[in-house]
Amino acid sequence: MSEKSSWIEVPDHSDFPLENLPFGVGKRLNGTVSVYTRVGDMAIDLGAMVACDLLADPRFSGRDLFQTDSLNAFMGSGSSVWSAVRYRLTELLTAGNPEFRDAEDNKHKCLVPVSELTMQIPSHIGDYTDFYSSIEHATNMGKMFRDPENALLPNWKHIPVGYNGRSSSIVVSGTPIRRPLGQTKADDADTPSFGPSKLFDIELEMGFFTGPGNTLGEPIPIDKAHEHIFGMAIVNDWSARDIQKWEYVPLGPFLGKSFGTSVSPWVVTLEALEPFRVQGQPQDPPVLPYLQTSRPGAYDLELEILLKTPKMSEGHRICRTNFASMYWSMSQQLTHQTSNGTNIRPGDLYASGTVSGSTEDSFGSLLELTWRGTKPLQLPSGEERKFLLDGDEVIMRAWGEKDGLRIGLDEVRGVVEPAGD
Amino acid sequence: MSEKSSWIEVPDHSDFPLENLPFGVGKRLNGTVSVYTRVGDMAIDLGAMVACDLLADPRFSGRDLFQTDSLNAFMGSGSSVWSAVRYRLTELLTAGNPEFRDAEDNKHKCLVPVSELTMQIPSHIGDYTDFYSSIEHATNMGKMFRDPENALLPNWKHIPVGYNGRSSSIVVSGTPIRRPLGQTKADDADTPSFGPSKLFDIELEMGFFTGPGNTLGEPIPIDKAHEHIFGMAIVNDWSARDIQKWEYVPLGPFLGKSFGTSVSPWVVTLEALEPFRVQGQPQDPPVLPYLQTSRPGAYDLELEILLKTPKMSEGHRICRTNFASMYWSMSQQLTHQTSNGTNIRPGDLYASGTVSGSTEDSFGSLLELTWRGTKPLQLPSGEERKFLLDGDEVIMRAWGEKDGLRIGLDEVRGVVEPAGD
């Protein structure tokens, strides 16, 4: 049970009690697009609330934060505005307050069942950066593709290793993902060939959207980094392992990743996730001073992956892991990104890299779960899977649970479509 | 001398005869931003021309192509609109036509000396992709950093190797570039350290801006690729070699590149560059069918780099090379990028990778020109340079010249500023 309650019903085990108040962009059946928050299964149209004078605070009224098709402006407005909006929403939605609850006309204008909204990508993503911050994942990759005896590369414990991803192909949960065509080369072949990827994989990642940006040339110090993080979402970094393997030396992953990246639609603020902030993994050897902070930066969030083939009526859990296992924190990732002066802009997306735990059922990719296809997953339908087949659906979920409070990020899902011609 | 002449004076050896008609975004002294073209040293305000009813063709009037702060909409409008605009501009600016020439009020509104404009970045760049398409450059890099006996990696002749770059830090010519801080590790050190890059370098590249995009999941075939290319610009891909070396395995270049990328402001259309389109280098072994085309895709453009230290009164040429030396064409780069279904959007930027020829004075980076610092450049000031020092200015130029016609891309320049704290 949550501490506070809302006059909007919150089903048991909902990801969205009054303490959550995530933000997303939704389109109504009539085509209107606006910024929304959510309590239980009811979405609340913040653009309509502005029009109804329910969000009249001078800190956020009169600015085009909500009657718009993205969260960029709101993300860029900074933590005092984010908090003020959440404070006002909490006030209006609390059980005992009649101001909004009893205003039928305003409720009619502002409340929409989530089922009647088509959620959109939360922001116009200027740049997308994907990190590689799980020590278990990096070690597994090194064991499988490089040297099992020296699986972790020399730079890994010094640098939150990452790369620039593709922004254009980031899609919201529910968007089908077409199996990519690409160049691959079999180990025993002399020359590469071109065709549909045969090793279609997933990567379970947590992402964050940036808040206010910095000026080009002016790094964000580690103790300020969290002020530049708006909130989190779940990311499925779909990966074509055969394309990736042939292309990635020396300039890194490219077409093995860029055919599609899925994000969950409701961005949960760091403020809402504060009860789940914990000390991260010990970093040994110590990191360089620009990455050192005494502020705990990990988040105790449970994660799971479900796989549903066309023969199955419901998803089967194939992974259960925890985001607090990450070696590098979001603040360290952001500070490292800007340490050379790179500027971030509000609404940029950062992904953590695959979240893998230390046990075989806590790996965040099929590559690791099936150990490169050598240990196929056995599904309740009697089927087995090494990698994804056409029609397979993947669902990833994330939530925190503590002292009776559950704050969730809902899910990101996507179905594999057959390759084109 | 050019074939056609304009009533606007074109100085000898200008990059901008009437046949060029490049497009850029400029800001006037009064702060007004608009899309411009240019003849000689005179800029012509297309937004103002729309207001003066000089661009009233229904194919491009009434659309917000020019009274705006970017070329994205015009780039997305497609080749028939680009051609129609260029045709109309040519008509209005030709010597014999009094329609615009003798309309003093319209001229007063539309013509601005280039010296009174502050040029802006040409488009809002959704995604920036940097390729690695010079065989000489890739070979040189392999010799210096990997195995001199097997300098070219096995995938290089099959794939136009590339990676996603950073969009946010792309700046227009003239913007100073601050020396980045970053992690580096000396070969003889046990651990990395953090500080200003000591190996601050340049990369001479040619870039192209995309035209109309494609739908996610639907590749652009090789014989259609050129229809998705609006025009070209010069790119300086500033590089911190010491940061790059320590970070780039296994996910590719990241902070060694993302602190700044400079582009020239006047985008020259493929239509204007058509006289310089030539057959590219032979590709052996043959490339896979999806990259094969009989349409010549190289451009015979002369390139040079000038270096000017604070002690020098003018730039000294340190490189002269030619863009036709590239192994992979722009069409092949674009088709490869979309072969997995990745969507491009109008105004994306693609860079070629360092353009290096086969002789020591035709290498497009200091790393190659000084062979990793072992052969310092001797400058007329009596100074020498291995890599850039604070205050050094780099100027890159590009032009085509054929049968008395010169079409140029002007220049991209930038000064190195000292590192921050």
Side-chain angles (χ1 to χ4, degrees):
Chain A
M1 297 299 298
S2 82
E3 292 294 306
K4 297 181 245 180
S5 64
S6 172
W7 46 264
I8 297 175
E9 185 194 346
V10 177
D12 285 349
H13 308 298
S14 172
D15 280 351
F16 302 105
L18 185 58
E19 290 88 344
N20 191 337
L21 295 177
F23 297 93
V25 176
K27 183 162 76 172
R28 295 203 198 197
L29 299 175
N30 68 7
T32 319
V33 174
S34 179
V35 169
Y36 285 81
T37 188
R38 172 176 180 170
V39 173
D41 297 325
M42 190 63 77
I44 302 133
D45 183 336
L46 302 191
M49 287 180 78
V50 169
C52 294
D53 265 344
L54 287 165
L55 296 175
D57 188 305
R59 284 170 292 182
F60 43 84
S61 68
R63 301 170 63 177
D64 295 332
L65 301 184
F66 304 125
Q67 291 168 317
T68 176
D69 66 351
S70 83
L71 287 166
N72 294 74
F74 183 46
M75 288 169 168
S77 67
S79 58
S80 66
V81 175
W82 307 335
S83 290
V85 168
R86 281 172 45 83
Y87 185 88
R88 174 61 176 156
L89 289 171
T90 303
E91 183 177 68
L92 284 172
L93 296 167
T94 295
N97 185 349
E99 180 178 357
F100 189 17
R101 183 193 67 199
D102 297 347
E104 290 304 325
D105 188 46
N106 284 346
K107 275 164 55 180
H108 178 72
K109 288 175 180 159
C110 300
L111 300 188
V112 192
V114 167
S115 59
E116 291 180 16
L117 281 186
T118 305
M119 298 305 293
Q120 314 286 301
I121 194 96
S123 73
H124 300 300
I125 297 166
D127 281 287
Y128 163 49
T129 306
D130 192 19
F131 282 89
Y132 186 58
S133 291
S134 155
I135 193 166
E136 302 291 349
H137 173 68
T139 303
N140 287 339
M141 295 295 275
K143 281 183 190 171
M144 283 188 272
F145 290 110
R146 290 178 290 269
D147 177 3
E149 300 305 309
N150 294 286
L152 215 53
L153 289 164
N155 58 7
W156 198 89
K157 286 190 168 185
H158 300 283
I159 292 177
V161 172
Y163 68 102
N164 302 298
R166 180 86 189 173
S167 297
S168 67
S169 51
I170 299 172
V171 296
V172 72
S173 175
T175 308
I177 303 291
R178 183 173 283 189
R179 179 181 299 274
L181 302 174
Q183 268 198 46
T184 60
K185 193 178 91 57
D187 287 339
D188 57 356
D190 289 333
T191 55
S193 56
F194 186 80
S197 167
K198 295 185 178 119
L199 306 181
F200 193 113
D201 199 0
I202 53 173
E203 293 195 340
L204 167 64
E205 307 196 11
M206 293 300 297
F208 67 85
F209 286 92
T210 50
N214 60 313
T215 302
L216 182 61
E218 298 183 5
I220 296 174
I222 185 73
D223 288 322
K224 295 280 185 190
H226 61 282
E227 298 174 11
H228 295 265
I229 299 176
F230 175 78
M232 297 183 67
I234 316 166
V235 176
N236 184 350
D237 177 25
W238 305 92
S239 299
R241 299 299 179 190
D242 41 0
I243 297 174
Q244 184 181 351
K245 185 184 173 197
W246 172 232
E247 74 176 355
Y248 90 102
V249 176
L251 301 187
F254 188 46
L255 302 193
K257 301 282 193 174
S258 61
F259 58 90
T261 306
S262 301
V263 298
S264 58
W266 293 101
V267 184
V268 178
T269 63
L270 286 199
E271 190 173 273
L273 293 170
E274 183 63 17
F276 309 100
R277 186 160 64 85
V278 295
Q279 189 66 48
Q281 301 302 310
Q283 295 185 313
D284 180 33
V287 298
L288 284 164
Y290 79 102
L291 295 172
Q292 284 175 13
T293 174
S294 58
R295 186 178 188 275
Y299 286 80
D300 179 14
L301 299 175
E302 301 290 333
L303 312 179
E304 67 178 12
I305 310 175
L306 309 179
L307 174 60
K308 182 175 170 297
T309 73
K311 289 191 179 166
M312 294 163 67
S313 58
E314 57 181 24
H316 171 69
R317 189 165 78 196
I318 59 172
C319 164
R320 175 73 182 261
T321 190
N322 191 296
F323 187 53
S325 65
M326 301 306 276
Y327 193 86
W328 294 100
S329 73
M330 297 186 284
S331 288
Q332 288 177 321
Q333 291 166 346
L334 191 64
T335 288
H336 181 65
Q337 168 89 71
T338 67
S339 64
N340 69 344
T342 301
N343 54 326
I344 64 163
R345 295 174 288 191
D348 286 351
L349 179 65
Y350 285 70
S352 61
T354 308
V355 184
S356 288
S358 55
T359 57
E360 288 185 11
D361 59 354
S362 66
F363 296 161
S365 68
L366 292 174
L367 184 74
E368 295 163 271
L369 287 167
T370 71
W371 207 255
R372 218 174 173 174
T374 59
K375 300 176 185 176
L377 293 174
Q378 306 300 325
L379 302 178
S381 56
E383 300 171 284
E384 60 175 43
R385 283 290 184 278
K386 298 173 178 173
F387 290 92
L388 297 177
L389 299 186
D390 295 343
D392 286 353
E393 181 168 28
V394 175
I395 305 109
M396 297 174 173
R397 294 183 180 146
W399 67 95
E401 221 153 15
K402 187 182 177 186
D403 302 334
L405 174 68
R406 179 187 169 106
I407 301 279
L409 290 96
D410 201 20
E411 63 180 27
V412 59
R413 65 166 65 214
V415 174
V416 178
E417 283 190 337
D421 301 328
Chain B
M1 297 300 298
S2 82
E3 291 294 307
K4 296 181 246 179
S5 65
S6 172
W7 46 263
I8 297 175
E9 186 194 345
V10 178
D12 285 348
H13 308 298
S14 171
D15 280 351
F16 302 103
L18 185 57
E19 290 87 344
N20 191 337
L21 296 178
F23 296 94
V25 176
K27 183 161 76 172
R28 296 202 197 197
L29 300 174
N30 68 8
T32 319
V33 175
S34 179
V35 169
Y36 286 81
T37 188
R38 172 175 180 170
V39 173
D41 296 326
M42 189 62 78
I44 302 132
D45 183 335
L46 303 192
M49 288 180 79
V50 169
C52 293
D53 265 345
L54 287 165
L55 296 175
D57 188 306
R59 283 170 293 181
F60 43 83
S61 68
R63 301 169 64 174
D64 295 332
L65 301 183
F66 304 125
Q67 290 168 317
T68 176
D69 67 350
S70 84
L71 287 166
N72 294 74
F74 183 46
M75 287 169 168
S77 67
S79 59
S80 66
V81 174
W82 308 336
S83 291
V85 169
R86 281 173 45 82
Y87 185 88
R88 174 62 177 156
L89 289 171
T90 303
E91 182 177 68
L92 284 171
L93 296 167
T94 295
N97 185 349
E99 180 178 357
F100 188 17
R101 183 193 69 199
D102 297 347
E104 289 305 326
D105 188 46
N106 284 347
K107 275 165 52 180
H108 178 72
K109 288 175 181 160
C110 301
L111 299 188
V112 191
V114 167
S115 58
E116 291 180 17
L117 281 186
T118 305
M119 298 306 293
Q120 313 287 300
I121 194 97
S123 72
H124 299 300
I125 297 166
D127 281 287
Y128 163 48
T129 306
D130 192 18
F131 282 90
Y132 186 58
S133 290
S134 155
I135 193 165
E136 303 290 349
H137 173 67
T139 304
N140 288 339
M141 295 295 276
K143 281 183 189 170
M144 283 188 272
F145 290 108
R146 289 178 292 268
D147 176 4
E149 300 305 309
N150 294 286
L152 216 53
L153 289 163
N155 58 8
W156 199 89
K157 286 190 168 185
H158 299 283
I159 292 178
V161 171
Y163 68 103
N164 303 298
R166 180 84 189 175
S167 296
S168 67
S169 52
I170 299 172
V171 296
V172 73
S173 176
T175 309
I177 302 291
R178 183 173 283 191
R179 180 181 299 273
L181 303 173
Q183 268 198 47
T184 59
K185 192 178 91 57
D187 287 339
D188 57 356
D190 289 333
T191 55
S193 55
F194 185 81
S197 167
K198 295 184 179 122
L199 307 181
F200 193 115
D201 199 0
I202 53 172
E203 292 195 339
L204 167 64
E205 308 196 11
M206 293 299 297
F208 68 85
F209 285 92
T210 50
N214 61 313
T215 302
L216 182 62
E218 298 184 4
I220 296 175
I222 185 73
D223 288 322
K224 296 281 185 189
H226 61 282
E227 297 173 13
H228 295 265
I229 300 176
F230 175 78
M232 297 183 68
I234 315 167
V235 176
N236 185 350
D237 177 26
W238 305 91
S239 299
R241 299 298 180 191
D242 40 0
I243 296 173
Q244 184 181 351
K245 185 183 173 198
W246 173 233
E247 74 176 355
Y248 91 102
V249 176
L251 301 187
F254 188 46
L255 302 193
K257 301 283 192 173
S258 61
F259 57 90
T261 306
S262 301
V263 297
S264 58
W266 293 101
V267 184
V268 177
T269 62
L270 286 199
E271 190 173 274
L273 293 170
E274 183 63 17
F276 309 101
R277 186 161 63 86
V278 296
Q279 189 66 49
Q281 302 301 311
Q283 295 185 311
D284 180 34
V287 298
L288 283 164
Y290 79 102
L291 294 172
Q292 284 175 13
T293 174
S294 58
R295 186 177 188 276
Y299 285 81
D300 178 14
L301 299 175
E302 300 290 334
L303 312 179
E304 67 179 12
I305 309 175
L306 309 179
L307 174 61
K308 182 176 171 298
T309 73
K311 289 190 178 167
M312 294 162 66
S313 58
E314 58 182 24
H316 171 69
R317 190 165 77 196
I318 59 172
C319 164
R320 175 74 182 261
T321 191
N322 191 296
F323 187 53
S325 66
M326 302 306 276
Y327 192 86
W328 295 100
S329 72
M330 297 186 285
S331 287
Q332 288 177 321
Q333 291 166 346
L334 191 65
T335 288
H336 181 65
Q337 168 88 72
T338 67
S339 64
N340 69 345
T342 301
N343 53 326
I344 64 164
R345 295 173 290 191
D348 286 351
L349 178 65
Y350 285 71
S352 60
T354 308
V355 184
S356 288
S358 55
T359 59
E360 288 185 12
D361 58 354
S362 66
F363 296 161
S365 67
L366 292 173
L367 184 73
E368 294 164 272
L369 287 166
T370 72
W371 207 254
R372 217 173 174 175
T374 59
K375 301 176 185 175
L377 293 174
Q378 306 301 324
L379 302 177
S381 56
E383 300 170 282
E384 60 175 42
R385 284 290 184 277
K386 298 173 179 173
F387 289 93
L388 297 177
L389 299 186
D390 294 344
D392 287 352
E393 182 169 28
V394 176
I395 304 109
M396 297 174 173
R397 293 183 181 147
W399 68 94
E401 220 152 15
K402 187 182 176 186
D403 302 334
L405 175 69
R406 179 188 169 105
I407 300 279
L409 290 96
D410 202 21
E411 63 181 27
V412 60
R413 65 166 65 214
V415 174
V416 178
E417 283 189 338
D421 301 327

